[in-house]
């Protein structure tokens, strides 16, 4: 049997000469031979047990808010010589020396493909053209940390008695603590859902700029080492110029060639498999080229990654294909193998406290620098501390360098164990809860000021934030804006927010557009069409409408944060969200996006103002602009009772002022039940609207008296195709009127009545706007009114109003309102 021998450095830091049978890679089954004695089955078993253990630890740490990085490193430590690996039987069975090389080779593949993916996700334009704040922060933090840490390391070497290996390791540790890795910051903030915060955006942009500087300094350092090794001048020049030639070749040949190839692809067609295979081959070639010219493999992986155009079509396709095999399997193996090399029993107390002191000093220096430069960044001290903590994030960059320095013997096994435990694990464990505590949640930032339609003054600007995902929802959205009746006395300020899913990028983008459209990412080009349609509305009402458009490119999981934050920053009074379902022209549901439904549900809980969810059925009735529509725009306002219905009533009152809009206010009353106090609240609101529209022929008031949910559903079905838009409140108090309506609810974010109206089974073809009045930390701002009912003894639903006054929304209440109003209809359900 042919055998071969090699020298390897196993996970437990022992030198072993290992023999293996090169003729057999897999076993023929356990009954014939033990499968764990063969490389392939052993590696499969190792990958399985490592992944499962890290997953279990991650689930246990999740309630503590710890990132998955901690779980993956701890999983390796658990199987290493610090814990279970001390058992010789377990060590020889699961992680024998003969299986370490194969496992580390797989982990290395995971690292360089993960670094390639990071390069693809990086926005090269933002890296080389960051904002002023990012440049100030990047330069200040990086170089201040470098100078301070090296100075501290020198002082410790001079005044603390230590052995030579520790003295040699201190400068290395000092340099490692200066690293501000964009992958570290982005990964931690994404997992903590802080990527979209103002502080998170600034930290990621600053980290990108720091990576440019660090990447350049690292490449120069490798060039210097290669030049020092060479003796002849031609070889020295070759070692110095070869990385520069590779960079120039990538910028001026590889990237343009990829872009040209993508342009030849038919529009809208997904990237084929051949593109993906070719890119993988080029990745391997670049990594080999980087190693050949004396650079680390991360140089080639990152360089090629940054040459790939980020976002759709190619960048997004690559990230999607690499996400699970690399990001979820092979890359975590690298972190776990780093834990396998960690032996806490080799650590001496002096090494522990000396390195810990240096790490703590470096963390505090970054925070202190951020506080010192507040004068130039414009940040508050509180925000500066938050950004400083974010820039202290640890991750893949640190682990790669620690392994590199361990291999080069700049770090001993003892010092490697200390930096892994202190610098990676402990720092991450500490800064994670601090960030959550300091940053706080969006509920704490919610203003106490009322931002509702009901309580807005009639002669002030109405600021509406409209969110758009798709181009086909724009016509109905614009119709709704036109119906909102912008006038010079009460103008409308529209904040247009185009929402695009972040795919193939690492950091989110919030783009502010102006009239001279700036450069935007290629995958966000559809936002220009949407914004152009909104601009047409602005031009049609140029004296009383202003538009401030934005494009938000971010993860669906974080999109609600941007919506709420922008509505708060822009002082919006009303927020309009698109429904997650789209109708086809035949009345069937064409597409349904659950991610958008989740966004709407989150915004409902956190919105700092009143909001409405627009169920767009404009394709079923046509979407002719109101300005040119001779037939008019017909709106029904459903009123049952409660703050949300009061808000929908206030919006309906504004719609009624438009000359081309006819509004029908339909009030539903429950037969045989009365609550005078609640009825008085509803009566005053409705009477104010009726009084304001007493001379408006386009305003109709109806009362429909029903006994139960069956009568209410039958009455709602009768609306059919009479209206273009139905406005209704989202939440209603429990009542016999609603019994049975919510049993088959598919969309709880619409409420019981809204979900019923939006159901395709009901047969209504009108668009539906479901309104919710502003909540304060999940609670109503004013007293909720129960459904108003009929009193059989007082002869009618309205008591006389003896005082002429003004309610909260600025509409006057009449002294007496005649029940002989020509547009007042009463319908009574007489079913038993």
């Amino acid at each position: 049997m042919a055998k071969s021998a090699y020298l390897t450095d196993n996970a437990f830091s022992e030198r072993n000469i290992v023999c293996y049978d090169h003729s057999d890679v897999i076993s023929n089954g356990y009954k014939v031979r033990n499968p764990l004695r063969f490389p392939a089955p052993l590696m499969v078993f190792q990958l399985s047990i490592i992944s499962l253990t890290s997953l279990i630890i991650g689930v246990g740490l999740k309630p503590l808010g710890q990132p998955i990085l901690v779980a993956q490193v701890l999983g390796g430590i658990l199987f290493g010589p610090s814990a279970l690996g001390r058992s010789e039987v377990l060590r020889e069975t699961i992680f024998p020396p003969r299986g370490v090389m194969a496992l580390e080779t797989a982990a290395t593949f995971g690292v360089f493909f993960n670094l390639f993916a990071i390069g693809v996700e990086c926005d090269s334009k933002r890296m080389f053209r960051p904002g002023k704040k990012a440049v100030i922060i990047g330069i200040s933090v990086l170089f201040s940390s470098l100078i301070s840490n090296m100075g501290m390391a020198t002082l410790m070497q001079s005044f603390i008695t230590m052995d030579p290996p520790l003295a040699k390791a201190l400068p290395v540790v000092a340099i490692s603590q200066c690293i501000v890795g964009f992958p570290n910051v982005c990964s931690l903030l994404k997992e903590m859902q802080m990527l979209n915060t103002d502080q998170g955006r600034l930290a990621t942009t600053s980290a990108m700029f720091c990576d440019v500087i660090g990447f350049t300094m690292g490449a120069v350092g490798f060039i210097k080492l290669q030049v020092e090794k060479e003796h002849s001048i031609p070889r020295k020049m070759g070692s110095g110029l070869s990385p520069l030639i590779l960079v120039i070749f990538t910028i001026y040949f590889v990237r343009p060639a990829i872009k040209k190839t993508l342009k030849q692809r038919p529009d809208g067609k997904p990237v084929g498999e051949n593109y993906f295979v070719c890119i993988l081959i080029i990745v391997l070639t670049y990594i080999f080229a980087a190693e050949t010219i004396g650079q680390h493999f991360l140089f080639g992986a990152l360089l090629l990654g940054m040459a790939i155009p980020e976002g759709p079509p190619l960048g997004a396709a690559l990230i999607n294909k690499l996400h699970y095999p690399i990001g979820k399997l092979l890359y975590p193996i690298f972190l776990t193998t780093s834990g396998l090399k960690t032996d806490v029993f080799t650590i001496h107390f002096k090494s522990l406290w000396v390195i810990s002191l240096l790490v703590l000093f470096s963390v505090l220096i970054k925070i202190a620098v951020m506080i010192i430069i507040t004068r130039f960044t414009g940040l508050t001290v509180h925000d500066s501390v938050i950004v400083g903590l974010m820039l202290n994030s640890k991750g893949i960059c640190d682990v790669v360098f620690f392994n590199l320095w361990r291999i080069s013997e700049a770090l001993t096994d003892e010092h490697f164990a200390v930096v892994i435990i202190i610098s990676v694990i402990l720092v991450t464990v500490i800064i994670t809860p601090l960030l959550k505590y300091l940053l706080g949640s969006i509920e704490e930032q919610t203003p106490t000021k009322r931002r509702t339609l009901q309580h807005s003054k009639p002669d002030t600007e109405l600021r509406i934030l409209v969110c758009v995902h798709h181009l086909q929802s724009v016509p109905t959205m614009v119709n709704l804006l036109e119906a909102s009746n912008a006038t010079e006395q009460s103008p409308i300020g529209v904040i247009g927010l185009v929402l695009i899913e972040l795919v193939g990028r690492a950091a989110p983008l919030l783009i502010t557009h102006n009239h001279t459209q700036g450069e935007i990412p290629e995958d966000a080009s559809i936002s220009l069409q949407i914004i152009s349609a909104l601009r047409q509305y602005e031009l049609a009402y140029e004296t009383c409408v202003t538009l401030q458009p934005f494009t938000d490119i971010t993860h669906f999981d974080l999109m609600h944060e941007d919506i709420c934050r922008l509505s708060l920053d822009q002082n919006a009074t009303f927020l309009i969200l698109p429904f997650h379902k789209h109708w086809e022209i035949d009345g069937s549901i064409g597409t349904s996006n659950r991610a958008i439904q989740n966004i709407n549900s989150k915004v409902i809980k956190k919105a700092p103002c009143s909001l409405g969810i627009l169920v767009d059925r404009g394709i079923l009735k046509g979407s002719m602009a109101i300005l040119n529509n001779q037939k008019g725009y017909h709106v029904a306002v459903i009123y049952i009772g409660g703050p949300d219905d009061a808000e929908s009533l206030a919006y309906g009152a504004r719609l009624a002022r438009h000359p081309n809009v006819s509004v029908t206010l339909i009030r539903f009353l429950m037969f045989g039940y009365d609550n005078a106090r609640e009825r008085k609240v509803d009566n005053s609101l409705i009477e104010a609207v009726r009084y304001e529209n007493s001379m408006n022929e386009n305003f109709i008031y109806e009362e429909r008296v029903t006994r139960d949910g069956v009568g209410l559903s039958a009455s709602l079905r009768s609306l059919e195709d009479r209206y273009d838009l139905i406005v209704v409140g989202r939440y209603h108090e429990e009542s016999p009127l609603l019994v049975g309506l919510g049993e088959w609810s598919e969309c709880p974010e619409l409420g019981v009545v809204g979900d019923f109206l939006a159901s395709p089974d009901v047969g209504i073809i009108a668009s539906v706007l479901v309104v919710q009045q502003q909540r304060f930390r999940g609670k109503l701002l004013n007293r909720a009114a129960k459904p108003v009912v009929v009193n059989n003894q007082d002869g009618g639903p309205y008591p006389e109003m003896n005082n002429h006054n003004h309610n909260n929304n600025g509409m006057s209440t009449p002294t007496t309102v005649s029940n002989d109003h020509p547009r007042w209809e009463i319908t009574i359900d007489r079913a038993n």
Side-chain angles (χ1 to χ4, degrees):
M1 181 179 294
K3 294 190 177 182
S4 173
Y6 58 83
L7 185 67
T8 182
D9 187 8
N10 76 355
F12 309 118
S13 306
E14 300 170 352
R15 293 287 181 178
N16 296 273
I17 295 179
V18 179
C19 298
Y20 69 96
D21 187 350
H22 69 275
S23 64
D24 256 335
V25 177
I26 61 174
S27 69
N28 295 323
Y30 180 76
K31 291 184 178 180
V32 179
R33 287 175 289 184
N34 183 358
L36 295 183
R37 298 184 63 85
F38 296 86
L42 177 62
M43 184 176 175
V44 170
F45 180 72
Q46 289 172 335
L47 291 176
S48 302
I49 194 170
I50 286 174
S51 301
L52 181 61
T53 304
S54 299
L55 183 63
I56 294 173
I57 296 175
V59 171
L61 293 177
K62 189 173 183 180
L64 302 177
Q66 295 301 322
I68 192 64
L69 167 75
V70 176
Q72 290 163 345
V73 177
L74 286 178
I77 293 176
L78 178 66
F79 286 107
S82 301
L84 300 178
R86 299 194 69 79
S87 169
E88 184 176 353
V89 175
L90 188 65
R91 183 173 68 247
E92 291 297 327
T93 303
I94 301 179
F95 295 102
R98 66 179 180 275
V100 171
M101 178 167 286
L103 185 63
E104 291 195 349
T105 301
T108 303
F109 268 81
V111 171
F112 61 64
F113 273 111
N114 185 70
L115 291 172
F116 166 71
I118 290 172
V120 173
E121 290 182 316
C122 286
D123 189 340
S124 55
K125 294 177 183 177
R126 292 178 66 191
M127 290 185 71
F128 294 97
R129 289 185 291 178
K132 180 181 177 182
K133 285 184 181 180
V135 172
I136 294 174
I137 293 173
I139 293 176
S140 302
V141 171
L142 182 61
F143 289 105
S144 297
S145 298
L146 180 61
I147 295 171
S148 301
N149 291 352
M150 291 301 294
M152 183 65 173
T154 303
L155 289 175
M156 295 175 77
Q157 288 174 329
S158 303
F159 293 98
I160 300 176
T161 304
M162 60 185 72
D163 54 14
L166 179 58
K168 179 183 177 182
L170 281 184
V172 175
V173 176
I175 293 174
S176 72
Q177 299 309 301
C178 302
I179 297 174
V180 183
F182 168 74
N184 300 350
V185 177
C186 188
S187 177
L188 179 66
L189 297 186
K190 180 181 177 181
E191 199 165 343
M192 296 179 66
Q193 294 193 343
M194 296 180 180
L195 203 57
N196 285 34
T197 62
D198 295 335
Q199 299 89 343
R201 293 180 189 277
L202 184 58
T204 51
T205 307
S206 303
M208 275 188 184
F209 183 69
C210 286
D211 271 0
V212 173
I213 301 175
F215 190 69
T216 305
M217 293 174 63
V220 171
F222 272 97
I223 291 174
K224 183 181 177 182
L225 290 175
Q226 287 298 115
V227 170
E228 290 176 351
K229 291 180 180 179
E230 303 295 344
H231 299 288
S232 63
I233 294 179
R235 285 182 172 271
K236 287 180 180 289
M237 292 182 62
S239 298
L241 293 177
S242 54
L244 182 61
I245 293 173
L246 183 61
V247 172
I248 295 174
F249 175 77
T250 304
I251 295 174
Y252 293 101
F253 179 78
V254 175
R255 184 176 174 88
I258 293 174
K259 285 188 171 182
K260 185 176 180 180
T261 304
L262 291 175
K263 286 181 179 179
Q264 296 174 353
R265 182 184 56 88
D267 292 337
K269 186 178 180 181
V271 176
E273 294 295 328
N274 291 336
Y275 286 90
F276 184 67
V277 174
C278 289
I279 292 296
L280 292 185
I281 295 173
I282 297 174
V283 172
L284 298 175
T285 304
Y286 256 72
I287 291 170
F288 178 75
E291 292 283 345
T292 302
I293 64 177
Q295 292 288 324
H296 195 264
F297 65 77
L298 65 84
F299 176 82
L302 285 173
L303 181 62
L304 180 62
M306 288 188 288
I308 304 294
E310 69 277 2
L314 182 58
L318 287 171
I319 297 302
N320 287 334
K321 289 183 179 294
L322 294 175
H323 178 66
Y324 286 102
I326 302 300
K328 296 297 183 182
L329 183 62
L330 294 183
Y331 161 64
I333 296 301
F334 174 75
L335 297 175
T336 305
T337 55
S338 300
L340 284 170
K341 302 168 189 173
T342 304
D343 187 355
V344 298
F345 294 100
T346 63
I347 299 175
H348 295 88
F349 179 72
K350 175 168 283 189
S351 298
L352 179 63
W353 76 260
V354 168
I355 294 178
S356 298
L357 181 61
L358 183 56
V359 171
L360 176 62
F361 175 79
S362 67
V363 170
L364 296 177
I365 279 294
K366 289 179 181 177
I367 298 174
V369 170
M370 284 300 307
I371 295 174
I372 292 172
I373 63 175
T374 52
R375 178 180 177 184
F376 305 100
T377 60
L379 299 175
T380 63
V381 174
H382 182 266
D383 288 343
S384 298
V385 172
I386 292 174
V387 175
L389 288 171
M390 290 176 174
L391 296 179
N392 275 298
S393 302
K394 305 299 179 181
I396 177 64
C397 298
D398 304 90
V399 179
V400 167
F401 283 117
F402 290 152
N403 278 276
L404 179 63
W405 286 323
R406 177 179 176 273
I407 293 172
S408 64
E409 298 184 348
L411 291 175
T412 63
D413 292 336
E414 175 192 3
H415 304 137
F416 177 83
V418 174
V419 293
I420 286 291
I421 293 173
I422 301 299
S423 178
V424 177
I425 297 179
L426 190 59
V427 170
T428 303
V429 167
I430 292 174
I431 68 172
T432 300
L434 285 177
L435 280 174
K436 286 190 174 182
Y437 174 77
L438 291 175
L439 193 60
S441 61
I442 196 170
E443 286 87 357
E444 296 174 353
Q445 303 172 17
T446 302
T448 55
K449 177 183 176 183
R450 287 185 171 180
R451 297 169 182 259
T452 69
L453 297 167
Q454 182 184 356
H455 302 97
S456 297
K457 296 180 180 180
D459 56 348
T460 58
E461 182 186 41
L462 174 62
R463 297 188 61 78
I464 303 177
L465 173 62
V466 293
C467 301
V468 184
H469 287 279
H470 304 287
L471 189 62
Q472 56 264 37
S473 62
V474 172
T476 302
M477 193 74 75
V478 171
N479 269 357
L480 186 60
L481 291 174
E482 287 188 20
S484 299
N485 192 38
T487 63
E488 294 184 4
Q489 292 74 29
S490 181
I492 292 179
V494 178
I495 306 110
L497 181 60
V498 182
L499 302 171
I500 299 176
E501 182 185 9
L502 180 67
V503 181
R505 299 176 187 273
L509 291 173
L510 182 62
I511 305 169
T512 303
H513 301 269
N514 50 41
H515 288 278
T516 57
Q517 294 288 356
E519 187 176 1
I520 67 169
E522 184 177 340
D523 54 308
S525 58
I526 189 174
S527 66
L528 295 181
Q529 303 177 45
I530 296 173
I531 292 169
S532 176
L534 294 176
R535 289 233 185 262
Q536 296 303 315
Y537 164 66
E538 181 189 27
L539 293 174
Y541 299 88
E542 56 183 351
T543 61
C544 49
V545 171
T546 58
L547 173 66
Q548 177 58 68
F550 297 86
T551 297
D552 185 30
I553 307 175
T554 188
H555 301 282
F556 277 145
D557 290 341
L558 302 176
M559 201 168 279
H560 68 284
E561 298 282 357
D562 280 350
I563 295 172
C564 295
R565 188 173 296 107
L566 187 63
S567 62
L568 184 62
D569 294 341
Q570 295 294 319
N571 199 29
T573 302
F574 195 47
L575 164 64
I576 302 177
L577 301 168
F579 192 48
H580 68 281
K581 296 180 180 180
H582 290 273
W583 268 256
E584 297 291 348
I585 196 169
D586 61 355
S588 62
I589 295 177
T591 59
S592 179
N593 192 329
R594 292 296 178 184
I596 297 177
Q597 183 181 25
N598 292 333
I599 293 170
N600 292 345
S601 299
K602 293 176 182 178
V603 173
I604 284 173
K605 296 177 181 179
K606 298 185 175 183
C609 62
S610 296
L611 63 87
I613 299 178
L614 180 61
V615 180
D616 180 11
R617 291 197 184 106
I619 192 172
L620 305 181
K621 299 199 69 173
S623 300
M624 184 181 294
I626 294 177
L627 191 65
N628 303 319
N629 194 343
Q630 301 299 322
K631 297 181 180 179
Y633 190 71
H634 303 280
V635 179
V637 178
I638 307 298
Y639 193 96
I640 297 174
D644 291 352
D645 275 356
E647 192 74 359
S648 64
L649 177 64
Y651 190 55
R654 185 178 181 102
L655 299 179
R657 301 183 195 126
H658 196 289
N660 283 13
V661 176
S662 63
V663 174
T664 301
L665 174 57
I666 305 174
R667 183 183 187 184
F668 286 95
L669 306 167
M670 189 173 69
F671 185 83
Y673 180 79
D674 184 25
N675 185 318
R677 183 178 178 182
E678 303 296 346
R679 185 187 64 183
K680 184 176 180 181
V681 174
D682 292 323
N683 287 351
S684 63
L685 294 175
I686 292 175
E687 288 295 344
V689 175
R690 289 183 58 202
Y691 180 75
E692 183 185 24
N693 292 277
S694 58
M695 304 301 294
N696 185 357
E697 294 184 356
N698 290 330
F699 179 81
I700 303 172
Y701 175 69
E702 294 182 12
E703 285 183 357
R704 300 191 180 188
V705 184
T706 61
R707 296 176 180 271
D708 48 28
V710 176
L712 178 62
S713 63
S715 185
L716 291 174
R717 288 177 187 272
S718 68
L719 299 178
E720 295 180 345
D721 59 349
R722 294 167 53 189
Y723 302 99
D724 299 292
L725 175 69
I726 300 174
V727 184
V728 64
R730 174 178 175 268
Y731 174 77
H732 302 93
E733 292 280 353
E734 291 186 6
S735 165
L737 280 178
L738 305 178
V739 172
L741 290 183
E743 292 181 359
W744 305 101
S745 177
E746 296 180 358
C747 307
E749 74 274 13
L750 298 180
V752 175
V753 180
D755 178 73
F756 180 83
L757 294 172
S759 174
D761 301 328
V762 176
I764 296 176
I765 63 174
S767 298
V768 180
L769 181 66
V770 181
V771 178
Q772 173 181 281
Q773 193 174 72
Q774 178 196 15
R775 305 292 198 260
F776 178 64
R777 296 184 181 178
K779 299 180 180 179
L780 298 172
L781 283 176
N782 57 348
R783 178 177 54 82
K786 295 181 180 179
V788 181
V789 295
V790 171
N791 187 334
N792 292 330
Q793 297 179 354
D794 62 12
Y798 297 104
E800 290 187 352
M801 303 284 184
N802 295 322
N803 296 318
H804 189 284
N805 51 33
H806 293 268
N807 63 4
N808 289 333
N809 62 0
M811 294 178 294
S812 61
T813 303
T815 304
T816 304
V817 178
S818 172
N819 289 346
D820 296 328
H821 194 287
R823 308 293 286 174
W824 181 20
E825 302 175 7
I826 300 179
T827 304
I828 300 178
D829 176 16
R830 299 188 180 279
N832 293 325

